[in-house]
Amino acid sequence: MSNDVAPSDFEEQRQVVLSMLKNITISESNCPTGARVSVVAYSRHTKYLIRFQEHRSRKHLMEAVENLAQERTTEQRHLGAAMLFVGRNVFKRVRAGQMIRKVAVFFSSGQSQDPDDVLAAVMEYRALKIIPAVISLRNTPRISRAMEADDSGNSMFALLRRQQDLEKVKNCAVCY
């Protein structure tokens, strides 16, 4: 929700989120099967829009995502700060278990103001066993290079305009 996100970009990103949610099983109880989903918005600051525990059915979650409104701000994009926030706060209280995967998917419509923080977040995610993926509307070489610094192959960068990249994120990061 930074200052340069056009309404058409926001809507395109929302449609990708909805398409991803159609293909995953949503956890409807405390059983460790299925995904729990949280949504945050970021510019210079990061804030919760949907928390993990708020929607326990696909229908309600999809409705909540469809009803998200774009907020206008004068602040620039700080992807690294948002990634650090998510790693340190959103994943703070998650279910434990051998088969639990933590995946964080970020959308960006352009270059971030803090590519060094993106690199720091990628390394922190590796230590926390969180799989990060950045889906960008535009080619952002500095973010792409920061994601490639994780030589484990778990960090992913995808251009939204290239369907094969998006499918890789869906199949390899989100659905595994």
Side-chain angles (χ1 to χ4, degrees), residues 35-49:
R36 295 188 329 156
V37 177
S38 180
V39 178
V40 299
Y42 72 94
S43 55
R44 182 165 192 73
H45 304 284
T46 306
K47 73 177 196 173
Y48 284 96
L49 300 177

Side-chain angles (χ1 to χ4, degrees), residues 25-173:
T25 303
I26 303 298
S27 178
E28 296 187 10
S29 67
N30 287 332
C31 180
T33 60
R36 295 188 329 156
V37 177
S38 180
V39 178
V40 299
Y42 72 94
S43 55
R44 182 165 192 73
H45 304 284
T46 306
K47 73 177 196 173
Y48 284 96
L49 300 177
I50 299 171
R51 294 179 186 264
F52 281 131
Q53 68 273 15
E54 289 180 346
H55 301 285
R56 294 216 174 200
S57 77
R58 178 188 317 279
K59 179 183 174 195
H60 292 129
L61 179 61
M62 300 276 284
E63 287 173 0
V65 171
E66 286 174 1
N67 292 328
L68 291 176
Q70 182 179 7
E71 296 176 15
R72 300 308 304 163
T73 182
T74 58
E75 296 179 347
Q76 295 182 323
R77 178 180 313 100
H78 288 267
L79 175 61
M83 291 175 78
L84 291 168
F85 176 89
V86 168
R88 294 173 183 169
N89 298 291
V90 176
F91 286 111
K92 186 184 264 184
R93 293 178 189 88
V94 295
R95 296 179 290 185
Q98 290 283 340
M99 302 300 289
I100 301 295
R101 292 187 68 222
K102 296 179 272 187
V103 178
V105 179
F106 296 90
F107 288 87
S108 177
S109 63
Q111 193 60 259
S112 181
Q113 299 301 311
D114 56 348
D116 292 337
D117 285 348
V118 174
L119 177 59
V122 167
M123 293 298 111
E124 193 170 301
Y125 277 29
R126 183 174 177 177
L128 296 170
K129 295 182 174 61
I130 299 171
I131 298 167
V134 174
I135 300 173
S136 181
L137 294 174
R138 290 164 192 75
N139 191 19
T140 53
R142 292 170 71 190
I143 294 174
S144 178
R145 279 194 299 276
M147 300 300 285
E148 291 170 0
D150 176 10
D151 61 359
S152 71
N154 288 330
S155 300
M156 295 182 193
F157 176 83
L159 282 172
L160 188 56
R161 309 280 188 239
R162 295 197 324 230
Q163 190 61 33
Q164 68 271 20
D165 285 356
L166 190 54
E167 289 301 317
K168 182 178 178 184
V169 171
K170 285 181 181 179
N171 294 331
C172 298

